[in-house]
Amino acid sequence: MSNFDKLHHICFVVHDIDKAQAHYESIGIGPWQDYPPLTEYEELEVPDRAAFMALQYRICNLPNVQLQLCQPGKQQTPQRVHLDTKGEGVFHIGFEVPDANSAEQEAHGNGLSPLMRGRRKNGTGFTYYDTADKVGVILATRATNLS
């Protein structure tokens, strides 16, 4: 089993989250909801914690995949840099794993370096890997539930 065999979500960075959501809804993609508070991540390794907390996320759970919209603030986050240099579009692709820490260890063994990571009190969370230069997009693993 691989860290990257169970697609969970595709995250798009956008300039205006309300406008993007309205467009998706106008073509029948919805409903959308706010992502749970980013403050749930107690352990957080990101370039700027305050900038990370200012990110706005919305999610749409389709039968086969979750779509995410992310509107970064003005601060320099990787999402803001992507938006400013590449424009709107796919920021990362997320894959579901049973255990966030085990997945990160396996990825490290495969030569992938963490770009950002966060863990909730219960051990669930995410790791973004520094893969954009290698595969054209950031790959991420996430554990939604403990197995």
Side-chain angles (χ1 to χ4, degrees):
M1 194 163 175
S2 162
N3 280 338
F4 306 107
D5 63 0
K6 186 176 180 188
L7 180 63
H8 181 271
H9 67 270
I10 302 169
C11 178
F12 303 91
V13 289
V14 296
H15 289 287
D16 184 330
I17 202 166
D18 294 324
K19 182 179 173 183
Q21 177 182 334
H23 181 73
Y24 276 108
E25 290 174 338
S26 76
I27 59 173
I29 299 174
W32 293 84
Q33 61 191 42
D34 289 333
Y35 187 80
L38 297 177
T39 55
E40 289 182 356
Y41 296 104
E42 294 181 354
E43 181 184 330
L44 196 58
E45 295 175 25
V46 295
D48 181 332
R49 185 181 185 89
F52 178 83
M53 293 299 170
L55 296 169
Q56 293 181 56
Y57 278 95
R58 300 222 181 110
I59 60 173
C60 174
N61 290 309
L62 300 173
N64 59 341
V65 68
Q66 181 182 90
L67 298 181
Q68 297 182 353
L69 299 175
C70 174
Q71 179 181 318
K74 299 291 182 201
Q75 304 96 327
Q76 287 299 299
T77 60
Q79 293 87 339
R80 167 54 56 197
V81 171
H82 183 282
L83 191 59
D84 290 347
T85 60
K86 298 179 181 176
E88 294 182 312
V90 177
F91 175 70
H92 76 269
I93 300 173
F95 295 84
E96 183 71 27
V97 294
D99 180 274
N101 292 327
S102 294
E104 187 175 310
Q105 289 174 349
E106 180 182 320
H108 179 74
N110 291 327
L112 298 180
S113 301
L115 185 63
M116 297 180 283
R117 65 189 304 277
R119 298 292 185 272
R120 296 180 186 94
K121 186 176 185 174
N122 68 2
T124 62
F126 68 89
T127 304
Y128 295 178
Y129 300 98
D130 188 10
T131 58
D133 290 342
K134 296 171 185 74
V135 299
V137 69
I138 292 171
L139 298 178
T141 52
R142 68 177 274 156
T144 305
N145 300 303
L146 293 175
S147 48

